[in-house]
Amino acid sequence: MQTTFTEKIEEKLQLIYQENYQPDYLEKMLHCINAYKEIPQKAIATISEQNIYLITYGDSFYETGKAPLQTLHEFLIKETSDVITDVHLLPVFPYTSDDGFSVTDYTAIDSSLGDWKDVQNLSKDFRVMLDFVANHISKSSSWFQSYIKQEAPFTNFFIEKDVHFDYRNVVRPRTSPLFHQYENGKELWTTFSEDQLDLNVKEIDCLIALTNVLLLYAEKGATSIRLDAIGFLWKESGTTCMHLKETHEIISLWRILIDELYPNLQIITETNVPHEENIRYFGNGENEANMVYQFPLPPLVLHTMTTHNSNKLSKWASSISPISDTATYFNFLASHDGIGMRPATGILSEAEIGFLVEKTKENGGQVSYKDNPDGTQSVYELNINYSEALKNKTEDITEALITQKTVAAHAILLMLQGVPAIYYHSLVGSKNDYNGLESTGINRRINREKLEINQLYTELKSNPYRNKIFSSLKKLIRIRRNHQAFSPFAKQEIVDLGADIFALKRESSDECIYGIVNVSCKKTTKQLPCAGKNLLNNQTIEGEITLFPYEVIWLKEGHK
């Protein structure tokens, strides 16, 4: 007998709450869901090789006298309408700290950016990914203020310190205290900062409130929803309080709701952790995340371009295989955060990670650390513009070389199985923002500069560095979008052409494309795996070919 929608929900709630489950939990959840079931929704298309995400803040582009979300919309239409399909809006809600990740009101758009109408207008021309900061909320939020006043239903929405709880193994992404004290005298759980209080999803009313936010974002037109820092969601004494089974069951519950109410909406989990932990968020491939962030990719591509050796990247990429017809990888090189190093654990050695740390410092970047349960600290992320991170002091560091190296790195991103996402500073050829870093003392600000749009338009034409990166990446994307071999679900196979080359084969039912990248600073001659046409210049090639430093070839096999 087929399980009904209601039965699926009840089953998940029972798995989450175990012996604490009460029958009214289902009634409360159904009441929340029913508010959205009768609202007509436009159909969401499935993802394909057409989909390219841009990662951006709502005010990454600005101009005087106009809402930044409108400026962003106009920039995308004017400059990227044929290359960008999906726009990841980093938190666009009112906030008090952490550049948007300390939300005060999940249901409103920050008035300094625009309003919901601006978001919905954007969604008419581009698919929109909204950021759901589900693990924590600002101390200035009405939720927390109602908790302080002990107003229902918020009386148990936050996690009070418990003398009987064993905190020794709790995973810490920061060096700040796990607990802070507030005006009610209570010490409360704060994974990230004093202004960001973790929410207590062990309280059913809290889970219902978060579920309502998720469905609201879908109802407002989101086609993707990013679950920020979701691995920290459930806490249990004596554990790491990371990736617990209850967290997975909550994501699975949300997937059930989304699949029923908003088919093809993408749930994307953000878990900056080692690869094997990260991919567990696919569940069985059909019951949790539609996409997981491919966190090992940024440090591995950086390592490859630094050492001129693709062996580590190739070995890792050879383990990447199709997940299901509804699940794949969210591939990226740069984002609003730094280059996470935890995901490189077990892939790169401590010495190799240390080498990237020293290189980052030499190239003007910063390094952020995390506390470990044993009292030590380890590298958490490298804070630097990705193109600046690619510089090698042993090479002739010219803008032309860094441009080619940046394009080569992004060619790898665009070749791999999954859906590519490009950070706005990578797309428009930005560099380290030292003013932002020095004025705030916040390491991540080195790669979060806000760009005045008219100045940017001028520089995209007159500045050779910006122009070359921007035009080259757009050319790669246009080509990629025309070939089914680059489908997120198409086959991928690593091809061994030597350590100085990263090469793979992507194959669909009607074509086969070899992506070949010289990852070294020297010319190299290689025997091609087949004869065919180089999609980047339409030249037919076969036999041996000489590749210049960081040159890229996308070779479509001739007989396909």
Side-chain angles (χ1 to χ4, degrees), residues 48-55 75-87 125-127 414 419-422 427-428 460 469-482 554:
S48 71
E49 66 278 0
Q50 293 284 316
N51 293 89
I52 309 287
Y53 283 70
L54 180 74
I55 304 170
F75 168 79
L76 291 167
I77 290 175
K78 181 177 180 179
E79 298 288 348
T80 72
S81 59
D82 60 340
V83 292
I84 298 299
T85 58
D86 294 66
V87 183
D125 296 310
F126 301 90
R127 293 159 53 108
L414 293 165
V419 179
I422 300 178
L427 183 65
V428 302
L460 287 174
I469 290 176
F470 189 52
S471 60
S472 297
L473 294 187
K474 289 204 295 182
K475 178 183 176 180
L476 286 175
I477 293 169
R478 289 189 194 102
I479 294 169
R480 183 192 191 279
R481 294 185 67 204
N482 285 323
W554 284 354

Side-chain angles (χ1 to χ4, degrees), residues 50 70 95 101 110 127-128 155 194 211 227 248 250 256 267 308 310 392-393 435 453 479 489-490 513 523:
Q50 293 284 316
Q70 295 174 17
Y95 72 98
F101 287 90
D110 186 340
R127 293 159 53 108
V128 172
T155 53
E194 185 267 346
T211 301
L227 303 181
H248 286 277
I250 289 171
I256 291 169
I267 293 178
H308 305 138
S310 67
N392 283 351
K393 65 179 181 180
N435 289 333
I453 195 64
I479 294 169
F489 309 105
I513 296 173
K523 287 197 298 184

Side-chain angles (χ1 to χ4, degrees), residues 413-433:
L413 165 71
L414 293 165
M415 286 156 45
L416 287 165
Q417 185 180 91
V419 179
I422 300 178
Y423 189 48
Y424 75 103
H425 278 310
S426 296
L427 183 65
V428 302
S430 297
K431 297 183 179 181
N432 288 336
D433 178 21

Side-chain angles (χ1 to χ4, degrees), residues 159-185:
I159 305 168
E160 299 176 2
K161 192 170 186 178
D162 181 356
V163 294
H164 303 294
F165 196 103
D166 180 357
Y167 301 99
R168 288 174 295 180
N169 297 317
V170 174
V171 168
R172 301 291 296 116
R174 297 286 187 273
T175 56
S176 58
L178 181 60
F179 286 90
H180 286 88
Q181 190 170 38
Y182 296 87
E183 57 261 45
N184 63 353

Side-chain angles (χ1 to χ4, degrees), residues 392-406:
N392 283 351
K393 65 179 181 180
T394 56
E395 297 175 14
D396 181 18
I397 303 177
T398 64
E399 285 198 342
L401 182 70
I402 299 304
T403 297
Q404 185 59 35
K405 206 169 184 179
T406 298

Side-chain angles (χ1 to χ4, degrees), residues 294 296-305 307 309-320 333 347-348 408-409 412-413 415-416 492 494 499 501-504 517 519:
Q294 195 61 289
L297 188 60
L300 284 177
V301 170
L302 178 59
H303 168 79
T304 299
M305 294 295 191
T307 62
N309 187 313
S310 67
N311 287 343
K312 289 288 180 78
L313 175 62
S314 295
K315 181 179 180 181
W316 168 79
S318 68
S319 70
I320 304 303
L333 293 181
I347 305 174
L348 299 181
I412 294 173
L413 165 71
M415 286 156 45
L416 287 165
Q492 172 177 299
I494 296 300
I501 298 291
F502 178 74
L504 56 74
V517 180
V519 299

Side-chain angles (χ1 to χ4, degrees), residues 95-102 136 174 192 196 444 448:
Y95 72 98
T96 48
S97 63
D98 199 17
D99 286 349
F101 287 90
S102 185
H136 49 269
R174 297 286 187 273
F192 292 94
Q196 295 163 291
R444 287 175 169 176
R448 294 182 177 181

